[in-house]
């Protein structure tokens, strides 16, 4: 399953819970579905300026994608990746998101790395040619995965020849943060921004009533196993059910360990990060998944990150700041303090 599909499940669960008893829409309610950044997206906004706000938000996302896409030949990131080790001038926006990605890579000690592209291309997960590469093939591309080799001075960037930057790991989160600002500027005081697997809820559902967001069940991605009651935060999930293939009875998911070059071997099935900053939540969800539960929980405590973990033994762990807003819905999982 692609991450965008997982996001659809999350958004659908959210939409079901938004409508309340009888499924009645609230007044001045605008919902628009669209496709961008290789995933299905949905923005819902309330208020008399809702349509204008949604239209401007979608235009922004399309503009951002055109700026940072790795595959569009007209984008700045494509130009950087094809520059063969030469310095490349980026737009202010492309430089800004690249700097965010490098900062988050450093903070996670490389467990999130925006130069992972040569490795993900080698494995081909999510394509019709996914396969386990040889160790020699991994050893050839692994040295290219190194965020510390990226040089960014102002809006001028340089990467080693054959290396590639991929900002997909924080692109939707970065977009969500900026969409929320657009909505606020348009005087939209409550909204739901669902950009693939990235959800951002703005304001309250009603006075003194938080939004309710479902978290996808890794064993049944068409359903959710728990709900969060939240306000003014992003919810971002990474898991081994999003994109994967199986070979000789083993599952290989699309989240890679930058140190080994292999699909992350972890005791975590999924991790959901809740934060007011969607871009960092995007990167952290990936990094925490790769770390494994013990290291990830310690990292959360040290950096004040709120998260929900599902481990491979079907236990669920929730950081202290989310315990009052978390409700386990499935009997297939066991909640542990």
């Amino acid at each position: 399953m692609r991450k965008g599909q997982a996001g659809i499940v999350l958004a659908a669960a959210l939409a079901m819970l938004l409508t309340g008893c009888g499924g009645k829409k609230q007044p001045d309610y605008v919902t628009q579905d669209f496709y961008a950044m290789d995933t299905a997206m949905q923005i819902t906004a309330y208020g008399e300026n809702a349509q204008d706000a949604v239209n401007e938000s979608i235009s922004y996302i399309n503009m951002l994608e055109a700026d940072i896409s790795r595959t569009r030949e007209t984008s700045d990131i494509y130009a950087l990746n094809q520059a063969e080790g030469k310095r490349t001038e980026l737009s202010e926006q492309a430089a800004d998101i690249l700097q965010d990605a490098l900062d988050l890579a450093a903070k996670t000690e490389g467990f999130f790395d925006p130069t992972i592209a040569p490795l993900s291309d080698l494995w081909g997960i999510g394509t019709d040619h996914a396969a386990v590469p040889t160790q020699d093939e991994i050893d050839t591309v692994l040295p290219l995965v190194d965020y510390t080799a990226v040089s960014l001075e102002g809006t001028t960037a340089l990467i080693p020849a054959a290396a590639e930057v991929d900002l997909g790991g924080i692109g939707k989160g970065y977009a969500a943060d900026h969409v929320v600002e657009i909505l606020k500027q348009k005087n939209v005081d409550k909204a739901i921004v669902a950009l693939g697997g990235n959800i951002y809820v703005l304001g309250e559902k009603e006075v003194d009533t938080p939004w309710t967001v479902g978290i996808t069940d890794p064993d049944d991605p068409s359903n959710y196993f728990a709900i969060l009651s939240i306000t003014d935060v992003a919810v971002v999930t990474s898991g081994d059910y999003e994109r994967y293939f199986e070979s000789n009875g083993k599952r290989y998911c699309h989240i890679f360990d930058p140190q080994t070059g292999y699909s992350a071997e972890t005791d975590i099935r999924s991790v959901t990060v809740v934060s007011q900053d969607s871009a960092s939540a995007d990167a952290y969800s990936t990094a925490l998944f790769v770390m494994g539960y013990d290291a990830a929980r310690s990292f959360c405590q040290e950096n004040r990150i709120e998260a929900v973990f599902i481990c491979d033994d079907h236990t669920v762990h929730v950081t202290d700041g989310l315990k009052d807003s978390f409700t386990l819905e499935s009997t297939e999982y066991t909640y542990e303090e």
Side-chain angles (χ1 to χ4, degrees), residues 123 125 132 240 243-248 250-254 262-263 265:
W123 282 79
I125 297 177
V132 179
D240 66 2
R243 280 183 290 160
Y244 66 90
F245 74 99
E246 295 183 354
S247 178
N248 295 322
K250 184 173 181 178
R251 175 179 293 199
Y252 297 92
C253 77
H254 73 295
Y262 281 84
S263 176
E265 296 188 6

Side-chain angles (χ1 to χ4, degrees), residues 5 23 36 41-42 57 59 92 103 108 124 133 136 154 165 178 212 274 281 292 301:
Q5 292 174 311
M41 298 184 173
Q42 181 186 85
S57 296
S59 294
E92 290 186 5
D103 291 345
T108 62
D136 285 345
V165 166
H178 285 72
T212 305
V274 179
Q301 291 172 343

Side-chain angles (χ1 to χ4, degrees), residues 225 328-334:
F225 82 98
L328 182 63
E329 295 284 308
S330 173
T331 58
E332 299 298 316
Y333 297 91
T334 302

Side-chain angles (χ1 to χ4, degrees), residues 46 180 183-184 188-192 200-212 230-233:
Y46 297 80
V180 168
L183 296 174
K184 289 178 179 178
V188 171
D189 58 3
K190 62 179 178 178
I192 311 98
Y200 204 116
V201 292
L202 173 64
E204 297 178 314
K205 179 181 177 182
E206 298 173 359
V207 177
D208 297 327
T209 303
W211 299 106
T212 305
I230 51 175
T231 301
D232 285 322
V233 290

Side-chain angles (χ1 to χ4, degrees), residues 54 120 127-128 175 231 278:
V54 170
S120 58
T127 72
D128 57 6
T231 301
S278 186

Side-chain angles (χ1 to χ4, degrees), residues 276-313:
Q276 290 183 328
D277 186 277
S278 186
S280 62
D282 216 349
Y284 287 145
S285 68
T286 298
L288 295 172
F289 183 89
V290 178
M291 289 179 191
Y293 177 68
D294 288 340
R297 188 62 182 259
S298 296
F299 186 85
C300 286
Q301 291 172 343
E302 293 169 2
N303 294 278
R304 298 182 180 180
I305 297 169
E306 303 297 347
V308 177
F309 299 92
I310 299 180
C311 292
D312 54 14
D313 60 0

Side-chain angles (χ1 to χ4, degrees), residues 19-313:
T19 55
C21 297
K24 295 180 181 179
K25 291 182 179 180
Q26 299 185 32
D28 300 317
Y29 173 97
V30 174
T31 296
Q32 195 153 334
D33 298 301
F34 60 103
Y35 193 87
M37 295 184 171
D38 198 32
T39 191
M41 298 184 173
Q42 181 186 85
I43 299 177
T44 301
Y46 297 80
E48 61 182 15
N49 296 325
Q51 188 64 68
D52 286 344
V54 170
N55 290 344
E56 186 171 330
S57 296
I58 294 172
S59 294
Y60 168 77
I61 291 170
N62 289 331
M63 179 270 295
L64 177 65
E65 181 179 16
D67 210 16
I68 68 170
S69 170
R70 185 166 72 94
T71 58
R72 291 192 183 187
E73 295 184 5
T74 55
S75 83
D76 284 2
I77 298 304
Y78 183 91
L80 174 63
N81 290 339
Q82 301 301 315
E84 299 182 347
K86 299 177 182 178
R87 289 204 166 272
T88 303
E89 185 68 24
L90 306 178
S91 68
E92 290 186 5
Q93 179 172 244
D96 185 58
I97 188 173
L98 177 57
Q99 186 62 66
D100 284 354
L102 296 174
D103 291 345
L104 287 162
K107 192 163 186 178
T108 62
E109 297 182 353
F111 282 101
F112 164 77
D113 194 318
T115 64
I116 201 75
L119 197 58
S120 58
D121 287 348
L122 177 65
W123 282 79
I125 297 177
T127 72
D128 57 6
H129 59 268
V132 179
T134 66
Q135 187 62 55
D136 285 345
E137 290 173 324
I138 292 174
D139 290 343
T140 297
V141 303
L142 194 55
L144 299 174
V145 181
D146 180 8
Y147 73 93
T148 66
V150 178
S151 171
L152 180 61
E153 297 178 0
T155 57
T156 304
L158 179 148
I159 59 175
E164 288 197 39
V165 166
D166 185 351
L167 298 176
I170 69 165
K172 289 183 286 295
Y174 184 92
D177 289 329
H178 285 72
V179 164
V180 168
E181 290 306 310
I182 291 171
L183 296 174
K184 289 178 179 178
Q185 290 169 9
K186 291 289 185 177
N187 296 318
V188 171
D189 58 3
K190 62 179 178 178
I192 311 98
V193 179
L195 309 185
N198 299 61
I199 307 295
Y200 204 116
V201 292
L202 173 64
E204 297 178 314
K205 179 181 177 182
E206 298 173 359
V207 177
D208 297 327
T209 303
W211 299 106
T212 305
V213 178
I215 306 176
T216 301
D217 184 342
D219 289 339
D220 181 12
S222 65
N223 208 339
Y224 56 93
F225 82 98
I227 58 174
L228 288 166
S229 298
I230 51 175
T231 301
D232 285 322
V233 290
V235 181
V236 183
T237 299
S238 292
D240 66 2
Y241 59 88
E242 294 167 343
R243 280 183 290 160
Y244 66 90
F245 74 99
E246 295 183 354
S247 178
N248 295 322
K250 184 173 181 178
R251 175 179 293 199
Y252 297 92
C253 77
H254 73 295
I255 304 174
F256 297 99
D257 186 336
Q259 297 179 353
T260 68
Y262 281 84
S263 176
E265 296 188 6
T266 176
D267 56 354
I268 296 174
R269 294 294 315 282
S270 82
V271 54
T272 298
V273 176
V274 179
S275 171
Q276 290 183 328
D277 186 277
S278 186
S280 62
D282 216 349
Y284 287 145
S285 68
T286 298
L288 295 172
F289 183 89
V290 178
M291 289 179 191
Y293 177 68
D294 288 340
R297 188 62 182 259
S298 296
F299 186 85
C300 286
Q301 291 172 343
E302 293 169 2
N303 294 278
R304 298 182 180 180
I305 297 169
E306 303 297 347
V308 177
F309 299 92
I310 299 180
C311 292
D312 54 14
D313 60 0

